[in-house]
Amino acid sequence: MSGPSPRAQRVERVRAAMAASGVEALLLSLGADLPWLSGYEAMPLERLTMLVLPADGDGVLVVPELEAARVEPAPEVFELRPWAEGDDPVALVAGLVGGRRRLAVSDRTWSTFLLGLQEALPGRQWTVSSRMTGPLRAVKDAAEVDALAAVSAAADRVAAALLGGEIPLVGRSEREVSDELGRRLLAEGHDRVNFAIVGSGPNSASPHHQAGPRRIGPGEAVVCDFGGTMAGYCSDITRTVFTAAPPAELAGIYSILHDAQAAAVDAARVGAPCEDVDRAARERIAAAGYGAAFIHRTGHGIGLEEHEDPYIVAGNRTPLVAGHAFSVEPGIYLPGRFGARIEDIVVATGEGPRPLNTASHELTVVG
Ligand code: ZN
Ligand code: ZN
Ligand code: ZN
């Protein structure tokens, strides 16, 4: 006997979350909520695509007629409502909402559509859909964990090439190395490259440095943080390599970072609040005197999006449950001089934290 499909189960869980929040209709356009629920991703275009999911009725996917054929396979859980050129899709959505007053709209809906809807639907209460979908999407089912493991393994193979010295660094620009990391992500099975940060020398101290024309020299730290999407799910890994054996001070900092990252992974146990994972890394870095140099949260959830719930940050008391997938990526940054970060994706399981990235963390010198 087969029960409800995974997508039908997701719809039921969303309906329960809507009921708990008193939301009468969910309006999903751009972003990952719609593909998570329906398998269909709206095109980021001036033509509106929007799922209207009432708490008390069947869902309707309002979609431009010329894109209706792309809704494949047909979402079993929704009716399709194609609209033709010349139709007013905002009015169509407003008609489907009807008299419902408490509405949730996907976080990434363009303001041009939201403002039009607010004009067409005066006097309503609006909230973001992530209030309901975020905690649900954060808990991955077995198929999603498999997808994350596969895409993480593909990113690991690129990291292994970096650590193994197969990707030349000295004398090349950050941009060239970034391009090569991207090409290798695609060669290892990614469908899309989302980012490939390469920060060398002083640029290593800027956590989100945009790879640029700077030529990588000998005796530098090079932070490489890259990821992409494969079969819908995202990878994200950081390794810091050195182009010559670093002086003792920097080797010591790397060792502190290595231990802090391992401690945070070890703290990522079912039942532990997210902020405890952050604290595990932060306490070790602070105890070594570098607390002020760790200027970002320890991690973010990952799935259909690179950054999603749960956030591994002070103040997030959400307890980890089996299926939570997130990055553990502490860093230490000395402005103008040096920076290092180590990042793995980890899944919380009943048997303990399961790192999906296994490329070496050891201090690595490459040319
Ligand atoms: Zn990253
Ligand atoms: Zn990350
Ligand atoms: Zn290690």
Side-chain angles (χ1 to χ4, degrees):
M1 191 184 124
S2 69
S5 73
R7 293 207 197 287
Q9 290 178 36
R10 287 178 187 172
V11 172
E12 285 321 302
R13 279 184 280 143
V14 167
R15 284 187 192 283
M18 289 166 69
S21 310
V23 165
E24 294 165 90
L26 193 65
L27 308 177
L28 301 184
S29 182
L30 297 181
D33 287 347
L34 181 56
W36 178 72
L37 266 184
S38 73
Y40 181 68
E41 186 167 9
M43 293 188 80
L45 292 176
E46 72 290 354
R47 292 185 178 101
L48 177 63
T49 297
M50 184 166 269
L51 171 71
V52 181
L53 181 68
D56 59 348
D58 292 332
V60 177
L61 184 65
V62 172
V63 63
E65 189 171 35
L66 78 169
E67 284 160 30
R70 285 206 317 121
V71 188
E72 189 64 48
E76 71 223 85
V77 283
F78 311 123
E79 182 191 326
L80 273 192
R81 183 71 56 84
W83 58 272
E85 301 280 26
D87 289 352
D88 179 352
V90 168
L92 184 53
V93 169
L96 291 165
V97 169
R100 298 179 184 91
R101 309 206 61 77
R102 298 177 60 157
L103 311 176
V105 64
S106 54
D107 298 35
R108 306 203 196 307
T109 299
W110 284 3
S111 54
T112 186
F113 298 124
L114 176 57
L115 291 171
L117 285 166
Q118 289 183 326
E119 198 175 340
L121 294 164
R124 314 303 167 103
Q125 279 183 47
W126 297 87
T127 188
V128 287
S129 65
S130 58
R131 266 185 56 196
M132 280 139 280
T133 58
L136 297 173
R137 277 178 40 202
V139 182
K140 272 64 182 179
D141 64 26
E144 291 182 293
V145 171
D146 288 348
L148 283 169
V151 70
S152 298
D156 263 354
R157 294 193 289 275
V158 180
L162 173 70
L163 296 163
E166 291 171 45
I167 301 175
L169 299 178
V170 174
R172 293 173 95 194
S173 71
E174 294 170 346
R175 169 52 56 196
E176 287 171 305
V177 174
S178 173
D179 287 348
E180 178 164 354
L181 291 169
R183 283 195 303 275
R184 285 176 178 264
L185 285 172
L186 296 174
E188 294 294 351
H190 285 70
D191 303 311
R192 189 171 76 214
V193 178
N194 295 335
F195 59 92
I197 295 167
V198 177
S200 63
N203 293 341
S204 63
S206 170
H208 277 178
H209 175 69
Q210 171 93 34
R214 184 182 186 278
R215 299 243 159 239
I216 300 170
E220 295 184 346
V222 184
V223 174
C224 298
D225 181 352
F226 46 93
T229 303
M230 186 169 96
Y233 284 81
C234 294
S235 64
D236 185 6
I237 184 172
T238 308
R239 291 294 182 268
T240 301
V241 295
F242 295 85
T243 54
E249 180 203 7
L250 302 188
I253 291 173
Y254 187 86
S255 167
I256 293 157
L257 177 67
H258 176 283
D259 294 349
Q261 200 270 349
V265 171
D266 191 59
R269 303 198 169 256
V270 167
C274 289
E275 66 176 3
D276 286 12
V277 179
D278 179 83
R279 189 181 304 116
R282 203 164 300 279
E283 278 181 353
R284 276 161 184 80
I285 291 171
Y290 293 98
F294 178 16
I295 54 175
H296 53 71
R297 67 190 174 211
T298 292
H300 53 83
I302 189 167
L304 291 168
E305 291 184 287
E306 288 283 0
H307 291 190
E308 57 183 46
D309 286 325
Y311 290 96
I312 308 301
V313 62
N316 185 0
R317 296 191 177 82
T318 306
L320 290 175
V321 301
H324 270 149
F326 46 88
S327 70
V328 176
E329 52 176 309
I332 297 177
Y333 310 96
L334 308 180
R337 281 186 65 208
F338 166 78
R341 180 166 66 257
I342 300 171
E343 175 180 27
D344 292 326
I345 303 305
V346 175
V347 178
T349 83
E351 290 78 52
R354 175 187 171 196
L356 299 185
N357 296 109
T358 56
S360 173
H361 296 164
E362 301 315 306
L363 193 157
T364 301
V365 177
V366 296

